[in-house]
Amino acid sequence: MPSIVPCDPDPVIIERARSGDHRAFSRLVETYQTPVYNLCYRVLGNPHDAEEAAQEAFLRAYTRIGSYDPARSFKTWLLSIAHHYCIDRLRRRRLTWLSLDDEPALDTAMWRSTAPTPEDVAMRRERDSDIQALLSDLPLKDRSALVMRYWYDLSYEEIAAATDTTVSAVKSRLHRARVTLASHASPAQPRAAQRSPATLSAAAA
């Protein structure tokens, strides 16, 4: 199943945040901190950079919330800020993608309600490493579109709005991403490479 992204918050809370109410903005952060972190993690590839990117995304949202258009989806607006920052970060630093050694802290409570066994942790880590390796082979724009579509269940229109492009471009990027993932399927990669994007997102949820 896709990652859970909260519905748009109460317009009253957004309006209070736009008026400078720090407590109202804190409620928005509490609501969206996990989805924003997870998006940054899937694009950047490691938890440390994802945590820094999420913090920067919220800082930028805070400084720009006065210009937020209430007619627009808040979650799309916020994920757009996080997406653009991650893309800029990768372009600036020419980041080399690394497999994860540790499970991202913000995800732990989401996927297991009881304490995981060592075997569970090992299997989860291996599966996540497989998925991240596949994502790292995709071009940045295709990767972002795939994550927003299959991890966050955003519509084509929402992805287009978040990435400042057209619906047709989004569909094209998703098609390229699916073809690329399919081309990586081989007997040597049975765990993740041969799965559909929707199955990959379910495995990582």
Side-chain angles (χ1 to χ4, degrees), residues 6-15 24 27-28 31-32 68 73-75 78:
C7 297
D8 281 334
D10 187 338
V12 174
I13 297 177
I14 296 178
E15 189 56 36
R27 290 183 62 181
L28 296 177
T31 300
Y32 287 97
Y68 164 70
S73 166
F74 183 82
K75 71 177 181 181
L78 182 58

Side-chain angles (χ1 to χ4, degrees), residues 129-163:
S129 179
D130 288 346
I131 294 170
Q132 200 62 42
L134 288 172
L135 290 175
S136 69
D137 288 335
L138 299 175
L140 294 180
K141 293 180 179 179
D142 296 357
R143 184 188 312 156
S144 295
L146 193 78
V147 169
M148 289 184 183
R149 179 63 174 169
Y150 292 105
W151 269 263
Y152 297 96
D153 201 29
L154 297 190
S155 67
Y156 296 132
E157 291 77 12
E158 288 175 320
I159 298 172
T163 56

Side-chain angles (χ1 to χ4, degrees), residues 12-14 16-18 21-29:
V12 174
I13 297 177
I14 296 178
R16 285 168 51 193
R18 293 180 69 216
D21 187 328
H22 301 305
R23 185 170 298 178
F25 187 81
S26 294
R27 290 183 62 181
L28 296 177
V29 173

Side-chain angles (χ1 to χ4, degrees), residues 5 8 29 40 71 75 90 95 104 116 124 132 136 139 151 176 179 184 190 197 202:
V5 180
D8 281 334
V29 173
C40 294
K75 71 177 181 181
L90 286 176
L95 184 67
R124 172 79 181 184
Q132 200 62 42
S136 69
W151 269 263
R176 282 198 306 268
V179 170
H184 281 71

Side-chain angles (χ1 to χ4, degrees), residues 39-137:
L39 174 63
C40 294
Y41 164 62
R42 286 299 170 195
V43 175
L44 294 175
N46 70 72
H48 177 72
D49 286 342
E51 184 176 354
E52 289 187 350
Q55 292 174 355
E56 179 64 24
F58 281 115
L59 177 60
R60 294 186 177 194
Y62 179 76
T63 60
R64 301 174 186 176
I65 196 166
S67 62
Y68 164 70
D69 180 3
R72 183 180 181 186
S73 166
F74 183 82
K75 71 177 181 181
T76 301
W77 178 77
L78 182 58
L79 291 177
S80 174
I81 292 175
H83 161 265
H84 284 297
Y85 177 74
C86 289
I87 295 299
D88 289 343
R89 186 181 180 117
L90 286 176
R91 286 172 176 168
R92 285 197 314 269
R93 299 182 59 183
R94 306 172 70 91
L95 184 67
T96 300
W97 282 62
L98 301 174
S99 297
L100 290 177
D101 292 327
D102 298 299
E103 185 65 21
L106 290 181
D107 271 347
T108 302
M110 300 285 291
W111 62 273
R112 183 72 64 179
S113 58
T114 59
T117 65
E119 291 79 10
D120 290 334
V121 173
M123 291 178 62
R124 172 79 181 184
R125 189 174 298 164
E126 182 178 18
R127 182 171 62 243
D128 194 82
S129 179
D130 288 346
I131 294 170
Q132 200 62 42
L134 288 172
L135 290 175
S136 69
D137 288 335

Side-chain angles (χ1 to χ4, degrees), residues 193-205:
Q194 297 180 355
R195 302 178 188 175
S196 68
T199 304
L200 291 178
S201 66

